[in-house]
Amino acid sequence: MGVALARLVQWTATGYGTRALETTPLNEAILKEIIMFAESFIYKHPQEAKYVFVEPLEWKTDLEPSAFESGYVVSATTVKSEESDENGQPLLFLSVPQIKVRSFGQLSCLLLIAKDTKLKEAQACIEANRNPVAKILGLNYNTMKEESSVLNILDKITKDDDTESEIKMKIAILLKQLDVYLLNHSLKHISLEIPLNPAAVKNDIELLKRFSGKGEQTALESIKYTSDYEYSNGCRAPPWRQILGEICYVLVKPHDVETLCITCSEEGVFLNGGKTDDEEINYERKGVIYKDLVTCLKEKSAIFSENMSKQTRFNEELQKEKNQTNETPKKEAASALRKAIPGSDKSTLEKNKINFGKNNMIKRLEPSLNWKTTVDSKEHRTSLHEEKHGGRLEKSAPSVSPGKAQLVRKSAEKVEEIVSESSSESEEDEEPPDHRQEANADLPSEYWQIQKLVKYLKGGNQTATVIALCSMKDFNLAQETCQLAIRDVGGLEVLINLLDTDEVKCKIGSLKILKEISHNPQIRRNIVDLGGLPIMVNILDSPHKSLKCLAAETIANVAKFRRARWAVRHHGGITKLVALLDCAQNSAEPAQSSLYDARDVEVARCGALALWSCSKSYANKEAIRKAGGIPLLARLLKTSHENMLIPVVGTLQECASEENYRAAIKAERIIENLVKNLNSENEQLQEHCAMAIYQCAEDEETRDLVRMHGGLKPLASLLNNTDNKERLAAVTGAIWKCSISKENVTKFREYKAIETLVGLLTDQPEEVLVNVVGALGECCQEYENRVIVRKCGGIQPLVNLLVGINQALLVNVTKAVGACAVEPESMMIIDRLDGVRLLWSLLKNPHPDVKASAAWALCPCIQNAKDAGEMVRSFVGGLELVVNLLKSDNKEVLASVCAAITNIAKDQENLAVITDHGVVPLLSKLANTNNDKLRHHLAEAISCCCMWGRNRVAFGENKAVAPLVRYLKSNDANVHRATAQALYQLSEDADNCITMHENGAVKLLLHMVGSPDQDLQEAAAGCISNIRRLALATEKARYT
């Protein structure tokens, strides 16, 4: 066993201190074999099982003293085995949480007691005892290495002729045999471990991208790398993670589960800890390792697995890609090299070599185009110096911009920080394909004319430069051909260098062109690569208002992806953009637009536009708040300029997702102006105002403010305009959140909004349906609204939505159906439409929120169904499914399932079935919880389950009574009532009464006898009565 642990077991690389076992298939296989050996030792080798170890095996255990029964002396925090050595020391001693074991016999018993946690106990033991052979047999046997044979062991032990040495010899041989078996057994696992390589991983990801997108037939919604930067070895993981064999990290969004953050490594593919609040990746492994990405996704997503089985073309291409993984890179390199060699002279050969490297780097280093621009910039810089004229600008074309130089020097250092940039949007997180014009392609005449103009920009004097800029501006710069023409001949670098000059006209001309062409995703990334953003940020300090406006607008266009937003903040751009908002500093009445200077208004508008783009990052939101942006945005919100209001409200809408902002929005009385602008004629402004209200209405006070300022009526009226789906989604979202307050629901009923919402349950996109159903779920908490939904025919479309796969929609629709089921007439319709079966099937959904919501919805369905008991039994495997959900780790799922069991157990036949499925021990396991919601429903479930057979006795045997007594110390009145009722039922058993008395139940129950809650009074009095009767009977028996 010593060699196997030393050579085969895989440990975490944590540096100094205690190392832990990694969660790998090999480690798990080794641990299971060791458990089988130790567990069966007491039966196969009873004599050797009594041997006392030289030193005890000691580790931290999760076992509670209550788990030990006969053969042990148990107290509250300690356990001693009755079996002891010749000195009277127990062979097993537990002092929570430390445990010491000194024989194989006790080790076998411990594993039997551990049951489901034996693997965890074995792991803890191995981690704490890195050399168990030395502790079992002594330091003399610590030298059992590969070369140790049975003869060596015999020679070592037979030097002593006593009985103990003979037992030692047998144990040593058994351990050596185990060692050899583990070594041989591990070969099976090692032989199957074919390491992944970057090419194979990249092929899989690219192939999956081709089969991703919207629609039910696609494999995934999306798959993308967390990092745009690719190293020369094909890896995207940072260097310090590449040392550990990690290749890259991908974010995968399947159709039926939340976004998965996956690590691809040489060892295999596994889930990591996801992204932290700071958008950093938590590299820690979560769960098992899969052989490849497809296998992992098949395990995690049922829809992916189903769709993949249909995609025969995908499977064929996957196999083809895997077969060619090792051959393709070599073929590409050889082909590129053959193309590079034809040049005869040395300079041509060098140039072709550069092109060869460049072409490969374009493939591997996307999105960074540094390699391409670096090669081009050498030619541009040479031409700029050679063609410089006397009348040229003082600083017209520096060789390379400071921002670019910094980017080239520190690109490797920055890449991780850029990737960690938090973003709430997914737009352009992936690098778009690099479209460069083919040399022999049929290009329009504008392409060649722009190339000539760029030459004038490079070599002309000041006048020629201005004329060239004006001429270039006359082209249709919204056309992609013109945009790429400027980039392909090095015009971008010249335009950015012109921003570094002292000539205002040249700066204005350059910015006007950059503002137009930066709508192109490739161009905006090139601008960042060339260091354009730091220069634009510096221009924001210029005294020229036109320059400020153009710079801010260009920043607004460029800052559409994470790296750009990071660059703006990193170079102090957020503070400068916030300063641009202060356009009416000396105005006594900012609401009057006449007091604004037109230019000041434009500066503020452009600043707000740039902040809107930047505010999609959490770090930038914080920077805007710290720079004092909220009061300035609040002041601008009072203007009548619609073109100003749209970016202002857009920025507030983005920022309102953070709690700090929501508090500040209330403090600055922004809600009033948001409501006012809902009445605007501008649809885009209405959309952003509604979305801002949606974000802010999580807070009760904000919901009240929206009602007080008359915001509910315009929201209800906007429901009638269904052509603009983006605005409709925002409006329905605002109505949903506002409907959480009952007063608002009453208003919506007055405005006939509920009828309109029912009409929106069909033929709408999912983002609208989620909000509509969420709003109906809140409204249907009241009887009048449930009647309206039923009379408007809303039950059927709601039930129809139960077959979807959108997680948020399923959570909301189950809540809405559950709310409608409270009314018996609606329940009849739900039952007729097979809605209860659909709800029950959602208990199998992989997402815990859907499971919990479905279980809550089932409660009123069971309560109000005509023949509930028979209906529940008609679902094949339904009761077993519910009972098995008690094994969940999610508190909301557990509480909802306990509530469902409470209703199911009211039928005696169903109670008998769930008892057979083991509901009693599973409920008992949950008793040690501090969650009051779970306590409430758990106590109710226990109370109802006591009505069958010997379940009362079984709860006592499973140690559920003592924890229940502690529930009486809770501050929740619902917990008190449910617990008192459960204890009353349990007190029908004498042993349970004793346990209650020992744990101080009588004193707590006496206080509750005086409660105003009649049910609590009766249950508490009944429980005390049962305990007292037992005491009297015991005393009577003693004296007779």
Side-chain angles (χ1 to χ4, degrees):
M1 189 164 72
V3 177
L5 294 181
R7 293 293 183 94
L8 296 174
V9 170
Q10 297 161 326
W11 301 86
T12 56
T14 56
Y16 297 101
T18 307
R19 297 201 298 169
L21 286 172
E22 287 191 339
T23 308
T24 64
L26 179 59
N27 278 358
E28 188 173 344
I30 290 172
L31 284 174
K32 284 180 178 177
E33 292 299 332
I34 292 172
I35 289 169
M36 287 175 62
F37 171 83
E39 212 170 16
S40 61
F41 199 98
I42 194 169
Y43 307 111
K44 292 182 178 178
H45 314 285
Q47 191 65 30
E48 287 76 15
K50 296 176 183 177
Y51 167 76
V52 180
F53 299 163
V54 175
E55 289 180 45
L57 297 177
E58 185 175 356
W59 69 92
K60 286 186 178 180
T61 180
D62 289 334
L63 292 175
E64 295 292 335
S66 57
F68 295 82
E69 297 174 352
S70 59
Y72 297 93
V73 179
V74 182
S75 68
T77 58
T78 62
V79 176
K80 294 181 183 178
S81 65
E82 293 177 356
E83 189 181 2
S84 59
D85 63 8
E86 57 188 13
N87 298 320
Q89 295 295 319
L91 296 184
L92 182 145
F93 179 73
L94 167 64
S95 177
V96 178
Q98 288 295 124
I99 190 168
K100 295 181 182 180
V101 179
R102 302 183 62 199
S103 76
F104 275 111
Q106 289 299 327
L107 201 57
S108 297
C109 294
L110 180 72
L111 289 171
L112 292 171
I113 291 167
K115 295 179 182 176
D116 296 337
T117 61
K118 62 179 72 174
L119 193 67
K120 192 174 180 182
E121 292 297 320
Q123 180 175 342
C125 179
I126 295 297
E127 288 172 352
N129 303 277
R130 296 290 294 277
N131 195 350
V133 176
K135 289 194 171 186
I136 293 169
L137 298 173
L139 291 172
N140 291 335
Y141 306 97
N142 192 27
T143 57
M144 287 170 60
K145 305 291 182 186
E146 303 99 309
E147 71 275 13
S148 299
S149 65
V150 175
L151 291 175
N152 297 137
I153 298 167
L154 286 169
D155 180 60
K156 195 171 292 182
I157 298 175
T158 50
K159 291 176 182 176
D160 300 314
D161 278 337
D162 59 353
T163 310
E164 184 180 352
S165 295
E166 188 179 342
I167 293 174
K168 269 190 176 184
M169 176 189 71
K170 290 180 181 178
I171 292 174
I173 291 171
L174 289 170
L175 291 176
K176 181 62 184 176
Q177 288 172 349
L178 174 64
D179 218 6
V180 173
Y181 176 79
L182 290 176
L183 291 167
N184 292 330
H185 183 71
S186 301
L187 287 175
K188 296 178 184 177
H189 291 272
I190 294 169
S191 63
L192 293 173
E193 289 179 2
I194 302 170
L196 291 176
N197 58 66
V201 172
K202 186 174 182 178
N203 285 340
D204 282 0
I205 293 171
E206 293 302 320
L207 193 56
L208 285 169
K209 280 182 181 179
R210 282 153 49 190
F211 288 85
S212 299
K214 299 293 182 183
E216 295 179 358
Q217 300 304 316
T218 56
L220 301 165
E221 283 191 18
S222 65
I223 177 169
K224 59 187 178 183
Y225 294 102
T226 60
S227 170
D228 292 329
Y229 189 87
E230 184 175 343
Y231 292 89
S232 58
N233 60 1
C235 294
R236 292 173 187 259
W240 60 91
R241 300 302 300 181
Q242 290 183 33
I243 294 170
L244 303 176
E246 292 178 3
I247 297 169
C248 66
Y249 314 97
V250 287
L251 292 172
V252 183
K253 179 65 182 77
H255 289 290
D256 53 345
V257 293
E258 282 295 287
T259 301
L260 306 172
C261 193
I262 296 175
T263 297
C264 299
S265 70
E266 293 176 355
E267 195 177 3
V269 174
F270 54 87
L271 288 182
N272 56 43
K275 289 198 172 184
T276 63
D277 293 338
D278 298 326
E279 288 298 299
E280 295 285 349
I281 293 175
N282 178 359
Y283 299 108
E284 185 180 353
R285 181 182 302 132
K286 303 290 183 184
V288 298
I289 300 175
Y290 300 90
K291 66 176 183 178
D292 56 32
L293 189 57
V294 174
T295 306
C296 176
L297 292 173
K298 281 183 177 180
E299 185 69 21
K300 298 296 178 186
S301 170
I303 289 179
F304 177 86
S305 180
E306 181 183 342
N307 287 351
M308 280 299 94
S309 63
K310 299 175 186 174
Q311 296 279 8
T312 53
R313 188 162 67 89
F314 174 89
N315 295 324
E316 289 170 2
E317 290 190 25
L318 179 64
Q319 191 60 41
K320 184 179 176 183
E321 293 277 1
K322 286 186 176 179
N323 292 339
Q324 295 180 354
T325 296
N326 295 323
E327 297 173 12
T328 305
K330 295 177 184 177
K331 289 179 182 177
E332 288 179 357
S335 174
L337 193 58
R338 281 196 297 273
K339 290 177 183 176
I341 289 174
S344 57
D345 61 291
K346 186 176 178 182
S347 62
T348 307
L349 183 61
E350 287 177 357
K351 185 176 180 181
N352 285 329
K353 284 181 180 177
I354 290 171
N355 290 333
F356 165 63
K358 179 172 67 176
N359 292 336
N360 279 292
M361 292 305 287
I362 288 170
K363 286 182 183 178
R364 293 201 300 268
L365 291 180
E366 290 179 356
S368 174
L369 299 172
N370 290 342
W371 196 277
K372 175 73 179 176
T373 53
T374 303
V375 174
D376 291 342
S377 68
K378 292 178 182 176
E379 298 172 8
H380 303 332
R381 285 199 297 272
T382 304
S383 64
L384 284 171
H385 284 296
E386 288 176 353
E387 298 176 22
K388 185 174 180 181
H389 297 299
R392 186 66 172 154
L393 302 175
E394 188 180 348
K395 287 175 63 182
S396 61
S399 61
V400 63
S401 64
K404 181 183 175 183
Q406 186 182 20
L407 181 76
V408 173
R409 286 197 308 272
K410 298 186 178 179
S411 59
E413 297 173 14
K414 276 172 41 180
V415 69
E416 285 306 312
E417 189 175 356
I418 292 164
V419 168
S420 69
E421 176 75 3
S422 168
S423 173
S424 59
E425 70 165 358
S426 59
E427 178 193 3
E428 295 182 31
D429 284 343
E430 289 187 39
E431 177 69 8
D434 186 13
H435 298 302
R436 292 194 176 264
Q437 303 293 340
E438 295 290 338
N440 56 354
D442 293 331
L443 297 170
S445 60
E446 290 91 343
Y447 185 85
W448 309 110
Q449 290 170 13
I450 287 173
Q451 283 197 347
K452 290 179 183 177
L453 289 174
V454 172
K455 287 182 181 178
Y456 285 114
L457 283 180
K458 290 179 180 178
N461 57 23
Q462 178 180 339
T463 305
T465 300
V466 173
I467 293 171
L469 288 170
C470 293
S471 301
M472 196 178 289
K473 182 71 176 66
D474 290 337
F475 284 92
N476 181 10
L477 296 179
Q479 188 179 342
E480 188 178 25
T481 304
C482 297
Q483 295 167 351
L484 298 181
I486 294 172
R487 184 194 69 175
D488 291 349
V489 293
L492 272 181
E493 189 173 18
V494 179
L495 289 171
I496 290 170
N497 286 338
L498 284 173
L499 299 180
D500 235 355
T501 66
D502 293 332
E503 269 299 321
V504 174
K505 289 181 180 178
C506 289
K507 286 183 178 181
I508 289 174
S510 177
L511 281 171
K512 282 185 176 180
I513 294 169
L514 286 171
K515 184 188 80 171
E516 295 297 327
I517 66 175
S518 59
H519 289 287
N520 186 307
Q522 297 169 44
I523 299 289
R524 63 176 70 128
R525 290 181 185 274
N526 295 147
I527 290 172
V528 175
D529 292 339
L530 292 166
L533 279 177
I535 302 173
M536 293 179 200
V537 167
N538 289 335
I539 291 174
L540 296 175
D541 290 327
S542 169
H544 298 277
K545 292 178 180 177
S546 298
L547 274 178
K548 287 182 182 180
C549 290
L550 289 167
E553 277 194 276
T554 310
I555 290 171
N557 292 340
V558 174
K560 299 287 187 184
F561 62 104
R562 294 178 182 177
R563 191 153 48 93
R565 291 192 285 268
W566 173 86
V568 174
R569 184 179 75 253
H570 183 70
H571 292 95
I574 300 296
T575 306
K576 294 178 182 179
L577 288 170
V578 169
L580 297 185
L581 302 179
D582 197 8
C583 63
Q585 187 175 358
N586 301 318
S587 173
E589 186 57 56
Q592 296 179 10
S593 59
S594 59
L595 295 178
Y596 288 105
D597 179 79
R599 286 191 178 182
D600 287 337
V601 171
E602 185 62 15
V603 169
R605 184 191 73 82
C606 296
L609 264 177
L611 288 174
W612 189 7
S613 293
C614 292
S615 64
K616 290 175 173 61
S617 154
Y618 171 76
N620 285 354
K621 290 175 189 176
E622 279 299 296
I624 293 169
R625 186 177 64 82
K626 290 176 181 175
I630 301 176
L632 294 172
L633 289 168
R635 188 166 66 184
L636 292 176
L637 201 56
K638 297 173 184 176
T639 71
S640 57
H641 301 277
E642 281 191 354
N643 59 345
M644 164 86 81
L645 288 170
I646 289 171
V648 168
V649 176
T651 306
L652 287 170
Q653 165 215 317
E654 287 290 344
C655 294
S657 60
E658 304 301 323
E659 192 173 348
N660 288 339
Y661 267 92
R662 292 198 289 271
I665 285 170
K666 280 189 295 182
E668 294 290 338
R669 302 179 67 182
I670 289 174
I671 299 297
E672 180 180 353
N673 290 296
L674 291 175
V675 168
K676 173 186 168 185
N677 287 310
L678 281 174
N679 296 307
S680 165
E681 295 298 321
N682 188 303
E683 290 189 3
Q684 192 180 3
L685 180 57
Q686 290 174 338
E687 176 192 335
H688 293 306
C689 287
M691 186 58 73
I693 290 171
Y694 166 77
Q695 297 279 16
C696 295
E698 294 283 349
D699 179 72
E700 184 180 359
E701 189 179 340
T702 301
R703 296 195 291 270
D704 293 340
L705 286 171
V706 173
R707 183 180 70 256
M708 287 164 54
H709 293 301
L712 300 181
K713 190 168 185 178
L715 284 174
S717 64
L718 286 173
L719 283 176
N720 296 311
N721 304 321
T722 59
D723 295 334
N724 186 334
K725 299 302 180 185
E726 288 79 10
R727 183 183 62 178
L728 185 61
V731 169
T732 51
I735 290 174
W736 172 22
K737 295 302 179 183
C738 289
S739 298
I740 297 172
S741 295
K742 290 184 178 180
E743 296 85 353
N744 291 350
V745 172
T746 305
K747 286 289 184 183
F748 282 132
R749 188 165 63 245
E750 290 176 17
Y751 302 141
K752 306 293 183 183
I754 297 169
E755 292 89 337
T756 312
L757 287 170
V758 172
L760 294 173
L761 286 173
T762 52
D763 301 324
Q764 296 297 335
E766 281 190 343
E767 54 269 25
V768 174
L769 285 174
V770 169
N771 297 335
V772 169
V773 175
L776 287 174
E778 296 296 340
C779 292
C780 286
Q781 302 301 317
E782 296 183 5
Y783 170 77
E784 296 89 344
N785 299 333
R786 290 194 290 269
V787 173
I788 292 171
V789 170
R790 174 170 53 80
K791 288 183 176 178
C792 291
I795 304 294
Q796 181 158 355
L798 282 173
V799 172
N800 291 342
L801 291 173
L802 288 172
V803 297
I805 59 172
N806 183 301
Q807 173 211 321
L809 180 57
L810 286 174
V811 169
N812 285 353
V813 78
T814 47
K815 182 177 181 180
V817 171
C820 291
V822 172
E823 190 201 18
E825 291 183 37
S826 297
M827 181 57 217
M828 289 172 64
I829 300 172
I830 292 167
D831 193 16
R832 190 174 69 246
L833 295 170
D834 214 12
V836 182
R837 183 185 60 79
L838 293 173
L839 282 172
W840 214 290
S841 67
L842 288 176
L843 296 177
K844 299 177 184 176
N845 192 284
H847 201 280
D849 288 346
V850 177
K851 287 180 185 174
S853 189
W856 287 122
L858 283 172
C859 295
C861 290
I862 297 169
Q863 286 171 1
N864 296 292
K866 192 172 182 182
D867 189 359
E870 185 59 38
M871 178 189 72
V872 169
R873 284 192 295 279
S874 69
F875 304 129
V876 178
L879 291 173
E880 185 179 4
L881 173 62
V882 170
V883 172
N884 285 334
L885 283 176
L886 291 173
K887 298 174 184 176
S888 171
D889 295 326
N890 186 286
K891 292 288 190 292
E892 189 68 19
V893 171
L894 291 172
S896 61
V897 170
C898 286
I901 287 173
T902 302
N903 290 286
I904 290 168
K906 290 174 182 176
D907 180 89
Q908 286 292 298
E909 288 185 48
N910 290 338
L911 177 54
V913 174
I914 62 174
T915 300
D916 291 341
H917 286 309
V919 72
V920 172
L922 288 172
L923 288 173
S924 300
K925 276 187 180 179
L926 301 176
N928 288 300
T929 179
N930 295 321
N931 185 296
D932 276 342
K933 188 174 185 179
L934 176 54
R935 283 176 164 185
H936 170 208
H937 295 288
L938 176 60
E940 286 185 341
I942 290 173
S943 176
C944 290
C945 289
C946 284
M947 303 296 187
W948 178 259
R950 62 185 302 276
N951 282 1
R952 292 185 179 88
V953 178
F955 278 120
E957 290 172 351
N958 283 279
K959 299 181 171 49
V961 179
L964 276 174
V965 174
R966 292 197 291 273
Y967 290 11
L968 297 174
K969 297 176 182 177
S970 168
N971 295 321
D972 191 326
N974 291 324
V975 174
H976 292 167
R977 181 174 58 256
T979 305
Q981 289 170 341
L983 291 175
Y984 171 60
Q985 292 297 332
L986 291 167
S987 65
E988 298 289 336
D989 176 65
D991 290 335
N992 291 344
C993 285
I994 294 168
T995 306
M996 290 178 203
H997 191 273
E998 287 175 348
N999 285 275
V1002 175
K1003 185 178 179 181
L1004 294 166
L1005 288 167
L1006 280 170
H1007 289 294
M1008 294 176 185
V1009 172
S1011 168
D1013 186 329
Q1014 189 173 347
D1015 292 335
L1016 176 56
Q1017 273 185 13
E1018 290 178 3
C1023 185
I1024 294 170
S1025 173
N1026 287 339
I1027 294 171
R1028 184 59 187 152
R1029 282 199 194 95
L1030 177 65
L1032 289 171
T1034 305
E1035 267 193 50
K1036 186 177 180 182
R1038 185 187 302 170
Y1039 289 111
T1040 56

